[in-house]
Amino acid sequence: MMRRSENYLPVPGEEKSLDRDFDDGKGTNESIPMKTLYAGDGSLLHPHLGPHFSDGRRRVDYVLAYSVQKPSSIRRRSSRFAEGNFFRQLRRSLSMRSSRAPLQPKEDPELAAKEQRADYHEDDKRFRREEFEENLRATGLELEKDEGTKIPGVGFLKIHAPWNVLCREAEFMKLKMPTRKDYNVKQGSNVVEKIRLFIHKVTTPLHPDVDTNQPENVKFLSHPFSREKQHLFNLSDRDKFFDTKTRSSIVYEVLKRTRCTREKYAMGITSLLANGVYTSAYPLHDGDIEGANAEPNDRKLLYEEWASYSVFYKYQPIGLIRKYFGEKVGLYFAWLGVYTQMLIPAAIVGVIVFLYGCATVDDNIPSMEICDPRHNITMCPLCDRACSYWKLVTACGTARASHLFDNPATVFFSIFMALWAVLFMEHWKRRQMRLNYAWDLTGFGEEEEDHNRAEYELRVMQKTMKQDQSAPKEEKVKLTCTDRLPAYLTTVVMMGFMVTVTFVIVFGVILYRISIKAALHISSYPTARSNIRATVKGTAAVINLIIIIILDEIYAAIARWLTTLEVPKTDKSFEERLIFKTFILKFVNAFTPIVYLAFFRGRLVGRPGNYLYVVGSYRMEECAHAGCLMELCIQLCITMLGKQLIQNNLFEIGIPKLKKLLAKRKSELEEEELSKTLQRHEKDHFLCPFAGINSEYMEMIIQFGMVTLFVASFPLAPLFALLNNIIEIRLDAKKFVMELRRPIAAKAKDIGIWYNLLRGLSKVAVIVNAFVIAFTSDFIPRLVYQYTYSPDGTLHGFVNHTLSYFNVSDFEPMTDPLEPMHLGHEVIICRYKDYREPPWSSTPYELSKEFWAILAVRLGFVIVFQNVVMLMSDFVDWLIPDIPKDISLQIHKEKILMVELFMKEEQGKRIAARDHHSPDNFNSPSSAPDSHPYPPQPRSRPVNHARAGW
């Protein structure tokens, strides 16, 4: 019934016996019958056991849940005999399968398979479970079933990995484990390192109260685990040598390699989950968090020192997070901590720039001229027919508010934020290198092989079966670009369609603004006409926010579907393609309304008497006299705050809590019963599956774009991001510790493609801010006027200089206002914001020479700003080394110490071998094995057997 996989060969019986000297002698591969767990009153007989088998000794390393129903009295024909139907279901079920690479699961297997359920007969499911479990026993895992649980209709298969299986798999997966050899870590002596150590000492009260039981200046050498070199490792406490995350990862690796074979198709754990043979699969949390019986454990410590709002001011316990959740999750929270820490100086400078605008608003000459009623400037109508003439003084409030974000300090802040982004990237690279050194990841990934995804193998198998039998068999079959061409074309068409949909929706919001403005102008309600601009801006921004949130969820599903169609070869390729598509769609969705306000609104308008119309009679909207910067600021503020409060925090916490509540209601169990009578694997069953951290990264990357891309128009963005992230870290911590099942630990030495996206955004931010300062704000027109056209070198007369003249008799028919009178006076000339010739000129209403002069200065500013800032950024990048000098020296020292350790071991072996074969040894009574000065090192198996086993 069992077929040997090409990736794994069960250890023969005579080889298993070689490992028994390193075990406790009590392990067995046989399943132990389930003992009674509950007393007559329903309480646990052994509440102190925790996540263990019913014997109280063997720890539960992994759990598979399945549906328990009474067997059917009449056997129906199993669906496995319908080969065509089965093949089709298998193809669907394997579409979300994760990679077989060691310790590289990308998401919870239940989540990966949830969408591909097939309706198998219950008897068929039971047969598959029995075969799969028998194959698991053959690999050495120990199993125990628990079907008499408090959760109706759910059974659990508890899995334990004995010592010999852990050692075998750790060697196969090349897991780095600490050796007995330790050494002192010397701190750097340069100025930068001294400053870093000084800051570390000053901020000691901010560090979490986590006892590491190891001096900070002592580090153990690490080496890939080998059963032949077990004497190098400290095996005094075998229960703690492999921690819980490593044990569960080892079991998951065995689960991925084990097959359930029916007919000629092999099904792994992901396929079994997809077809409902098992309903869920997950490792267990360490223990309870709250309650009188909660014993000390890492989960409780994380809750107290990380997931509590009372410690919001402290650093995160990154080492403990990595120990409990794995390197990939640990790196995310380390990156989030560095990003939040770097936002502090950016927020402080942004607040200073904002306060500078507040302090100088009364001294701003252009806003003073707008607010001066003595100028009595009559402006042209803002819409056809319904709108009337208006006085410039009514835009006083908007002009004063725009100065808060459009002042000379904004240029300085843009340069500062460009350099800040580079410093943040360099700081993270150095921090990441320190974590790689501390977590023994410096050599990880160099020899790691990313295995093929199950769906890719299935497509290759289909292609092989369709090929002509006469084709050369030695040629390896693989999917080519021709095979993927339909998927690539579908991706291009769908991505283009989705981007077009975003543009169409933004255009729809533009039409809403135009129509609602006209409707409010002709409204008979004084309240509606009192503040038309604020009403239109606010409601349009809220509509944009709602659309962004809805489309984000739709685009995420479409991106996953398109990536699945492409059938990437490896899991890493699948993840990178998915991230790239999702980022493109979400980025376009979030920033299209902002880009329109920054660069297009007010520039595609035309002039009075010759306006630009769209969709018939809709006249394109104009900017206020103070420019579109204020509207851009409002849109950024509402989008940023709305996404953070609604999409990030409410969805992240509210939805998991709702799902957990519904699961408890379905089980019809009281909260008191859940806390007192359920075992650990039953409690974890109610938690939400872990869906990966890509969504966490994505929301932070979009926020990084909000902070850097348009910071020239919204200097308070870093402050809002900082406040959000302080809350976000604790919300995510609560979610990971309390609301989610424990993820399968995944190794990673960096944050992957996210770093490239961050670097790309920081480069684009320089260009975008240059264009915002040059074209969206009035910084360049003010500069040109002050040094070219001003009679006294000040900004007096700047407002009048920016306004052109229009003769109302030149209005096109049916476009002039219904009320030609304004405040009892007939209007002959009205003003509008543009640089055009007056009506009495020889070339009326043509663009003036001032327009071309200002345009030339704007383009020159963009070129100079972009090159200067990028040159400064590249200089900072070159100046700061990616690897800290002390870390580089410590890595080199580790290599030397490891070589010395092995050289010493080999030298000892040679001396022992020479003494063993010397003539004196054969003549002397001291040559007995017990008195040998260098006894041979124990082996788990002979070398030839070890090679044959793999």
Side-chain angles (χ1 to χ4, degrees), residues 380-592:
C380 296
L382 296 175
C383 62
D384 292 343
R385 305 295 287 172
C387 301
S388 181
Y389 303 102
W390 57 284
K391 291 293 184 180
L392 182 62
V393 69
T394 58
C396 176
T398 305
R400 289 174 63 86
S402 295
H403 178 72
L404 303 179
F405 306 100
D406 185 8
N407 55 70
T410 303
V411 181
F412 158 76
F413 190 54
S414 299
I415 299 174
F416 171 83
M417 287 302 295
L419 297 178
W420 171 88
V422 177
L423 288 173
F424 162 59
M425 304 298 290
E426 293 301 314
H427 180 33
W428 167 245
K429 282 194 291 188
R430 292 170 64 86
R431 171 66 170 157
Q432 184 175 261
M433 200 61 212
R434 289 188 181 278
L435 292 177
N436 284 343
Y437 166 71
W439 296 351
D440 298 315
L441 297 172
T442 50
F444 175 75
E446 297 173 2
E447 300 178 359
E448 299 295 327
E449 180 184 358
D450 202 358
H451 292 250
N452 296 345
R453 298 178 64 243
E455 188 181 28
Y456 177 84
E457 291 181 344
L458 182 61
R459 288 287 297 274
V460 169
M461 183 180 67
Q462 291 175 342
K463 184 178 179 181
T464 306
M465 295 171 64
K466 291 179 181 178
Q467 280 184 345
D468 187 9
Q469 299 296 329
S470 62
K473 294 185 178 180
E474 59 272 8
E475 183 180 350
K476 188 176 180 180
V477 179
K478 61 180 181 180
L479 295 185
T480 62
C481 289
T482 306
D483 299 323
R484 294 190 174 101
L485 187 59
Y488 288 155
L489 292 176
T490 304
T491 298
V492 172
V493 171
M494 285 299 297
M495 292 284 285
F497 176 72
M498 290 296 103
V499 172
T500 306
V501 167
T502 303
F503 291 161
V504 169
I505 291 176
V506 170
F507 184 69
V509 177
I510 295 171
L511 296 182
Y512 161 79
R513 274 202 294 255
I514 296 172
S515 57
I516 199 69
K517 181 187 295 184
L520 291 176
H521 270 289
I522 63 175
S523 174
S524 59
Y525 295 100
T527 307
R529 302 181 61 179
S530 60
N531 206 345
I532 294 176
R533 287 183 183 274
T535 304
V536 173
K537 294 175 188 176
T539 56
V542 171
I543 291 173
N544 272 324
L545 171 64
I546 295 172
I547 292 172
I548 287 171
I549 292 175
I550 294 173
L551 289 183
D552 268 355
E553 303 301 319
I554 298 174
Y555 287 168
I558 291 175
R560 176 170 288 277
W561 173 65
L562 292 175
T563 309
T564 305
L565 285 181
E566 294 176 4
V567 196
K569 183 176 181 180
T570 63
D571 207 31
K572 181 180 179 182
S573 175
F574 181 91
E575 186 179 46
E576 289 182 349
R577 294 185 187 201
L578 174 62
I579 290 171
F580 182 74
K581 291 183 185 66
T582 309
F583 172 74
I584 291 295
L585 292 175
K586 290 195 173 186
F587 183 85
V588 171
N589 181 37
F591 287 97
T592 299

Side-chain angles (χ1 to χ4, degrees), residues 24-289:
D24 54 7
K26 299 179 182 180
T28 176
N29 290 334
E30 298 298 328
S31 178
I32 295 181
M34 183 69 181
K35 297 182 179 180
T36 304
L37 296 176
Y38 301 98
D41 58 354
S43 61
L44 288 171
L45 284 175
H46 307 286
H48 62 284
L49 294 182
H52 289 80
F53 277 18
S54 57
D55 57 12
R57 293 186 297 107
R58 292 171 294 170
R59 183 178 181 86
V60 178
D61 297 318
Y62 214 86
V63 169
L64 302 179
Y66 54 92
S67 298
V68 178
Q69 294 185 6
K70 294 181 180 180
S72 176
S73 57
I74 301 176
R75 291 290 178 92
R76 302 176 184 175
R77 185 173 180 175
S78 174
S79 59
R80 66 182 182 275
F81 295 113
E83 180 177 335
N85 182 51
F86 171 73
F87 189 80
R88 190 163 56 251
Q89 290 171 332
L90 176 62
R91 184 176 66 245
R92 291 200 309 266
S93 68
L94 291 179
S95 62
M96 299 285 287
R97 183 174 178 171
S98 57
S99 169
R100 293 177 297 171
L103 277 173
Q104 293 294 316
K106 303 299 180 184
E107 57 185 349
D108 190 285
E110 179 189 357
L111 249 292
K114 199 171 183 179
E115 302 172 2
Q116 304 290 338
R117 300 281 173 157
D119 188 17
Y120 276 80
H121 193 271
E122 288 302 318
D123 292 343
D124 192 24
K125 295 179 183 179
R126 182 163 53 84
F127 291 149
R128 293 182 185 280
R129 282 198 299 269
E130 290 173 357
E131 181 190 356
F132 185 70
E133 291 161 14
E134 191 64 32
N135 293 345
L136 288 180
R137 292 190 184 95
T139 65
L141 295 179
E142 299 177 3
L143 314 177
E144 182 180 78
K145 286 190 174 182
D146 182 8
E147 295 184 354
T149 66
K150 291 282 186 179
I151 307 176
V154 179
F156 296 96
L157 179 69
K158 296 183 282 187
I159 304 175
H160 168 75
W163 174 255
N164 62 328
V165 174
L166 293 173
C167 293
R168 182 191 71 208
E169 296 298 323
E171 182 175 352
F172 176 70
M173 297 162 68
K174 300 178 182 178
L175 294 183
K176 271 191 172 183
M177 304 301 295
T179 64
R180 296 176 184 269
K181 176 68 176 177
D182 61 357
Y183 67 98
N184 291 325
V185 179
K186 293 184 180 179
Q187 302 295 339
S189 57
N190 56 17
V191 178
V192 177
E193 291 305 316
K194 288 182 179 179
I195 293 175
R196 189 182 67 84
L197 291 174
F198 173 75
I199 295 175
H200 181 79
K201 290 180 180 179
V202 171
T203 58
T204 300
L206 302 180
H207 290 275
D209 187 14
V210 179
D211 185 16
T212 58
N213 294 323
Q214 180 180 336
E216 291 185 4
N217 58 343
V218 175
K219 189 176 186 295
F220 287 90
L221 288 177
S222 294
H223 187 263
F225 186 81
S226 172
R227 288 171 290 177
E228 294 184 356
K229 292 182 170 57
Q230 290 197 38
H231 56 280
L232 295 177
F233 304 94
N234 184 10
L235 303 180
S236 57
D237 189 352
R238 293 181 178 178
D239 291 336
K240 295 183 180 179
F241 182 73
F242 294 106
D243 57 17
T244 54
K245 74 172 176 60
T246 306
R247 295 175 68 99
S248 61
S249 299
I250 288 175
V251 173
Y252 181 67
E253 178 62 25
V254 177
L255 287 173
K256 286 195 297 181
R257 288 203 308 261
T258 307
R259 293 289 181 268
C260 168
T261 307
R262 286 293 180 182
E263 299 294 321
K264 56 182 178 181
Y265 308 112
M267 300 180 68
I269 182 61
T270 311
S271 305
L272 297 175
L273 284 164
N275 294 314
V277 178
Y278 292 102
T279 57
S280 57
Y282 51 90
L284 297 181
H285 281 293
D286 276 0
D288 291 322
I289 298 173

Side-chain angles (χ1 to χ4, degrees), residues 339 640 644 699-707 721 724-725:
Y339 172 47
M640 192 173 181
Q644 291 174 352
E699 63 190 55
M700 288 296 108
I701 296 295
I702 297 297
Q703 185 201 83
F704 181 81
M706 296 276 185
V707 169
N724 172 80
N725 288 5

Side-chain angles (χ1 to χ4, degrees), residues 16 166 559 826 891:
K16 289 184 185 178
L166 293 173
E826 184 179 357
I891 293 174

Side-chain angles (χ1 to χ4, degrees), residues 511-723:
L511 296 182
Y512 161 79
R513 274 202 294 255
I514 296 172
S515 57
I516 199 69
K517 181 187 295 184
L520 291 176
H521 270 289
I522 63 175
S523 174
S524 59
Y525 295 100
T527 307
R529 302 181 61 179
S530 60
N531 206 345
I532 294 176
R533 287 183 183 274
T535 304
V536 173
K537 294 175 188 176
T539 56
V542 171
I543 291 173
N544 272 324
L545 171 64
I546 295 172
I547 292 172
I548 287 171
I549 292 175
I550 294 173
L551 289 183
D552 268 355
E553 303 301 319
I554 298 174
Y555 287 168
I558 291 175
R560 176 170 288 277
W561 173 65
L562 292 175
T563 309
T564 305
L565 285 181
E566 294 176 4
V567 196
K569 183 176 181 180
T570 63
D571 207 31
K572 181 180 179 182
S573 175
F574 181 91
E575 186 179 46
E576 289 182 349
R577 294 185 187 201
L578 174 62
I579 290 171
F580 182 74
K581 291 183 185 66
T582 309
F583 172 74
I584 291 295
L585 292 175
K586 290 195 173 186
F587 183 85
V588 171
N589 181 37
F591 287 97
T592 299
I594 299 171
V595 169
Y596 164 74
L597 287 174
F599 302 125
F600 295 100
R601 184 179 177 183
R603 286 166 181 80
L604 304 173
V605 177
R607 61 168 179 81
N610 188 23
Y611 283 113
L612 176 65
Y613 293 90
V614 293
V615 194
S617 59
Y618 285 92
R619 191 179 108 186
M620 290 299 291
E621 53 187 346
E622 303 176 44
C623 289
H625 182 269
C628 288
L629 205 66
M630 191 62 196
E631 296 189 32
L632 176 62
C633 176
I634 293 173
Q635 181 68 59
L636 269 171
C637 182
I638 292 180
T639 302
M640 192 173 181
L641 293 179
K643 278 179 67 67
Q644 291 174 352
L645 293 176
I646 299 174
Q647 190 175 26
N648 299 353
N649 298 336
L650 183 62
F651 284 7
E652 284 185 3
I653 300 301
I655 292 180
K657 281 187 175 294
L658 183 62
K659 289 182 178 179
K660 187 178 177 182
L661 181 63
L662 292 175
K664 289 180 181 179
R665 286 185 177 277
K666 285 182 180 179
S667 66
E668 298 178 355
L669 292 174
E670 297 290 339
E671 183 72 26
E672 187 177 354
E673 291 183 83
L674 284 174
S675 59
K676 290 185 177 181
T677 64
L678 292 188
Q679 288 188 301
R680 181 75 267 148
H681 61 275
E682 295 169 326
K683 293 179 181 179
D684 287 2
H685 182 73
F686 288 109
L687 301 179
C688 295
F690 176 70
I693 55 175
N694 286 343
S695 60
E696 312 292 340
Y697 271 118
M698 187 63 70
E699 63 190 55
M700 288 296 108
I701 296 295
I702 297 297
Q703 185 201 83
F704 181 81
M706 296 276 185
V707 169
T708 56
L709 289 180
F710 295 93
V711 73
S713 61
F714 191 35
L716 293 179
L719 175 64
F720 289 160
L722 173 63
L723 297 176

